[in-house]
Amino acid sequence: MDMKSGLFGERVIVIDFGGQYNQLVARRVRECNVYCEIYSYKTDIGQIKEMAPKGIILTGGPNSCYEENAPTYAKELFELGIPVLGLCYGAQLMMHILGGRVEKAPVKEYGKTEVSVDSDSPLFADVSAKTICWMSHNDYISQTAPGFQVIAHTADCPVAAAQHTDKNLYAIQFHPEVLHTMEGTKMIYNFVRGVCGCAGTWRMDSFVEETVNRIRERVGGGKVLLALSGGVDSSVAAGLLSRAIGNQLTCVFVDHGLLRKNEGDEVEAVFGTNGDFDLNFIRVNAQERYYAKLAGVTDPEAKRKIIGEEFIRVFEEEAKKIGAVDFLAQGTIYPDVVESGLGGESAVIKSHHNVGGLPDFVDFKEIIEPLRDLFKDEVRKAGLELGIPENLVFRQPFPGPGLGIRIIGEVTAEKVRIVQDADAIYREEIAKAGLDRSVGQYFAALTNMRSVGVMGDERTYDYAVALRAVNTVDFMTAEAAEIPFAVLQTVMSRIINEVRGVNRVFYDLTSKPPGTIEFE
Ligand code: GLN
C-alpha cells in the first residue's frame, strides 16, 4: 500500500544509514504524535522534497563518514530550509559534508555517559544541565562545520551536540532514541514539535481511518485473500480489511495442530461466522497432516522447513478452491520489513516464514500490506481501535512454526498435548499474579529429557517442562524475568499434578544473547 503520499498530513522523514536503533527513531517521533517514515540513504533527494517533510532525521550507522565508500547524502539536503537532526553517524556526516572534521576518536565512548548540555538550545529545552545519554561511537567530531555552535560535551567528547540555529541544523553524537538516554524522548520532542513546528495531530484512530479509506480506494470491487494465523499482526490486518471491504475479504486460517491450547477455537470465535467481523472465514484443520509429516524428524531446521512447506501446500489447496484473487494481503509489520532486509540498510536477520513463500502459490495480482509501517505496540493500538478482543490483541508473540519449535526433538500429538497444557497453566498463573502485561514474553517448552521421579510412592519416568520468561530491552537483547518464586512454585506443582507425562519443571535463566528466546 502506498502510504507515501500526503494523506497523513505533516510528517518527519528518517534517513537510514544502517544504524541499529533506526526503528526506535521513527517510533519516538510517532510517540510525539507526528507521522514518520524511514527511507534508505539511497533515496533520491527529489523524492524527499516531494514528500515535503516538516523535518528530517539522519540516523546512526556503522561506517566512518570520512572513508571512501561510506554512505553519504546530497549537500542540498541541508539547504532545503527543512530542519535536519543528525544522530551519531548522521551528526558526523552533517559536519563532514558541511566542512567540519570527523576523525577516529582518541577515546571511544560506549554506554551510559554523563553529558553537559546547554539548556538554552531549543533542542535541550527543559533538559537538565547534566544528563545521562547513550553513547556508541569510535569516531568523533573534532571540528564543527562553519556557523555551528557546540551545545553539549562529555569528559571525552568535545562535541556531543552542535547547532546552526539560523539554518535549523542540529547534530547529536549520542542516541536520544534509546531509552538509556534519560531525557532523549524530550530531545526528540523538542526537535519535532519545537524546531520543526509539527502540531502533533497524528493518532492511531486517524491511521485506522486513513488506511481503511486507502484500502477501499485501492481494492475497489476486487477480491482479497489473507492467511490468518491468529497472531496479532494478521488479526489486525484482517480487522482493517474487513472494515474496509467486508466480505470481499476471505481469510484462510490453517490450524496446524501446533497452536497454543484452545487457540484455534478462539480465532474462530472472533473471525468465524459467529464473530463480529464481516468476511469469509475458512478454517482448515490440518493437524493430522502436520503430525504425519513431522513424525521422526528431530532436527530444528528440518522441522521448521516441513512446517513452512506444509503451510504453503495447505494454503495452496485452499487458494485453488477460491480461484484467482486480485490481492494477497499480508500482516507484515515494520520490524519484519527490517529483519528481512527488505526495507532498511541494516543486515538481514531472518527471513519470514509466512511472508516469503506464499506469493508463488496463489493466483493474485498485487500484494497489500496495511501494517507495513507500524511497530508492534502500534499494531496493538490499531487492533483495539478496530474492536478486536484484548486477549487477541495482547496475545504473546508466537513463532510461525508454533509449538513445533517449543518441543525439542520429535513432535508428536502427545507432546503437543503436554506442552499445550503446561503452557496454559503457566499463562493462567502469570495472569492471576497480575504479571501478564509487565513480563515481556513467557511460555512453556518441552525438553526432550525424561528423568526418574516418584509420585504416589511409585517410580515415574517422565518429561521435564521448561518455563521461559524474558523481558526484552530495545528489541535487541533479553533477560530472564524475575518471576516471584511463589508463582513459579504454584506453576510447577500445578503442571506436575495436572499434566500427565511430566514429573519435573525447570526455569530457564538464560539471557539473549547468548541464548535465543525460543528453544529451537
Ligand atoms: N560509525 C560511527 C562511529 O563509530 C557512528 C556510530 C553510530 O552511528 N553509532 O563513530
Side-chain angles (χ1 to χ4, degrees):
M1 157 147 5
D2 175 27
M3 298 199 176
K4 271 90 197 164
S5 56
L7 266 175
F8 288 110
E10 57 182 23
R11 70 185 53 215
V12 163
I13 296 295
V14 172
I15 301 186
D16 178 359
F17 289 93
Q20 293 175 70
Y21 310 120
N22 299 349
Q23 312 95 298
L24 292 178
V25 178
R27 181 197 170 116
R28 299 281 170 258
V29 173
R30 282 190 220 150
E31 282 170 1
C32 302
N33 296 315
V34 173
Y35 188 67
C36 177
E37 284 172 351
I38 306 187
Y39 290 88
S40 157
Y41 72 91
K42 292 174 190 149
T43 309
D44 188 69
I45 188 150
Q47 211 183 319
I48 304 279
K49 281 201 280 195
E50 236 167 70
M51 292 185 277
K54 298 273 280 187
I56 295 168
I57 301 179
L58 313 179
T59 74
N63 302 78
S64 289
C65 61
Y66 47 79
E67 277 167 0
E68 211 173 309
N69 291 318
T72 184
Y73 208 84
K75 190 175 178 185
E76 197 195 334
L77 188 76
F78 304 102
E79 291 152 8
L80 299 174
I82 300 171
V84 183
L85 171 65
L87 304 177
C88 204
Y89 184 82
Q92 297 167 356
L93 186 68
M94 181 188 288
M95 293 303 152
H96 180 73
I97 293 175
L98 297 177
R101 197 160 62 221
V102 177
E103 47 196 325
K104 189 137 288 323
V107 183
K108 298 176 190 173
E109 288 176 302
Y110 185 81
K112 290 184 188 172
T113 309
E114 188 182 79
V115 180
S116 309
V117 308
D118 175 355
S119 312
D120 292 339
S121 162
L123 202 54
F124 296 134
D126 286 332
V127 173
S128 336
K130 284 189 190 311
T131 184
I132 298 296
C133 300
W134 184 257
M135 282 288 190
S136 169
H137 66 122
N138 302 315
D139 298 334
Y140 83 132
I141 299 165
S142 53
Q143 200 184 313
T144 52
F148 277 84
Q149 165 199 359
V150 176
I151 50 170
H153 66 274
T154 72
D156 294 310
C157 181
V159 187
Q163 67 183 14
H164 191 313
T165 38
D166 299 346
K167 293 191 173 164
N168 273 328
L169 304 179
Y170 294 84
I172 300 184
Q173 179 60 70
F174 53 87
H175 291 275
E177 70 275 26
V178 173
L179 288 179
H180 299 305
T181 298
M182 306 285 278
E183 297 175 270
T185 305
K186 216 184 274 176
M187 297 171 197
I188 295 196
Y189 184 94
N190 286 342
F191 179 70
V192 297
R193 301 286 295 270
V195 174
C196 303
C198 292
T201 48
W202 188 74
R203 298 282 186 286
M204 196 41 70
D205 51 358
S206 39
F207 171 83
V208 168
E209 206 184 295
E210 310 274 10
T211 306
V212 163
N213 288 338
R214 295 188 65 78
I215 294 172
R216 276 193 197 132
E217 222 171 87
R218 182 161 169 215
V219 171
K223 274 210 242 172
V224 180
L225 179 61
L226 171 74
L228 182 65
S229 71
V232 182
D233 306 340
S234 64
S235 298
V236 174
L240 267 175
L241 287 158
S242 160
R243 173 153 328 164
I245 53 163
N247 64 10
Q248 286 163 257
L249 169 69
T250 300
C251 291
V252 174
F253 168 58
V254 178
D255 186 343
H256 53 20
L258 302 167
L259 298 167
R260 283 163 292 207
K261 191 174 184 174
N262 300 332
E263 195 161 54
D265 296 341
E266 284 167 21
V267 172
E268 185 166 351
V270 175
F271 294 105
T273 17
N274 297 325
D276 292 335
F277 290 90
D278 182 19
L279 51 85
N280 301 305
F281 180 82
I282 299 172
R283 174 172 178 171
V284 189
N285 290 314
Q287 295 89 331
E288 299 311 323
R289 282 178 69 157
Y290 276 84
Y291 297 157
K293 280 266 155 53
L294 288 166
V297 183
T298 55
D299 175 62
E301 280 307 305
K303 282 159 62 178
R304 277 178 181 269
K305 219 171 143 219
I306 290 171
I307 296 167
E309 277 170 8
E310 201 53 22
F311 178 79
I312 289 171
R313 291 283 92 74
V314 174
F315 197 84
E316 184 186 16
E317 284 168 25
E318 291 308 312
K320 273 209 188 105
K321 290 185 210 158
I322 297 164
V325 293
D326 302 282
F327 297 89
L328 178 66
Q330 295 187 327
T332 321
I333 70 169
Y334 186 70
D336 302 337
V337 176
V338 174
E339 288 195 342
S340 308
L342 301 171
E345 296 306 320
S346 24
V348 177
I349 299 164
K350 61 182 176 191
S351 57
H352 271 262
H353 162 70
N354 285 350
V355 177
L358 275 186
D360 295 345
F361 298 93
V362 178
D363 186 2
F364 71 102
K365 292 192 206 108
E366 287 174 52
I367 289 204
I368 192 162
E369 294 176 315
L371 307 176
R372 210 183 151 86
D373 293 314
L374 298 192
F375 290 96
K376 199 67 166 197
D377 59 331
E378 296 173 324
V379 172
R380 292 204 166 105
K381 278 191 204 148
L384 294 177
E385 203 49 58
L386 287 160
I388 295 172
E390 287 204 13
N391 67 336
L392 226 162
V393 166
F394 290 97
R395 176 158 282 172
Q396 290 281 295
F398 194 57
L403 299 178
I405 57 167
R406 290 181 182 173
I407 294 170
I408 299 170
E410 188 189 7
V411 175
T412 63
E414 166 75 354
K415 285 181 174 174
V416 170
R417 190 229 2 120
I418 292 177
V419 77
Q420 276 181 339
D421 288 348
D423 183 67
I425 290 170
Y426 188 30
R427 283 190 287 138
E428 209 178 292
E429 291 301 326
I430 291 271
K432 246 192 239 166
L435 298 168
D436 50 336
R437 295 277 173 91
S438 55
V439 176
Q441 196 177 345
Y442 50 94
F443 58 85
L446 186 60
T447 74
N448 205 17
M449 181 194 115
R450 300 177 83 183
S451 68
V452 175
V454 53
M455 273 168 98
D457 283 343
E458 261 183 68
R459 180 185 189 273
T460 57
Y461 185 61
D462 282 331
Y463 284 110
V465 161
L467 304 177
R468 183 96 167 116
V470 294
N471 287 316
T472 53
V473 186
D474 284 351
F475 315 110
M476 319 280 296
T477 57
E479 271 167 30
E482 282 187 42
I483 307 289
F485 197 62
V487 176
L488 290 175
Q489 267 179 319
T490 309
V491 175
M492 175 276 294
S493 84
R494 280 197 58 196
I495 289 177
I496 290 179
N497 282 307
E498 296 172 36
V499 185
R500 205 168 13 90
V502 179
N503 69 354
R504 205 171 284 269
V505 175
F506 292 117
Y507 186 68
D508 185 352
L509 290 172
T510 321
S511 56
K512 169 192 175 177
T516 53
I517 292 173
E518 296 292 343
F519 280 66
E520 286 195 335

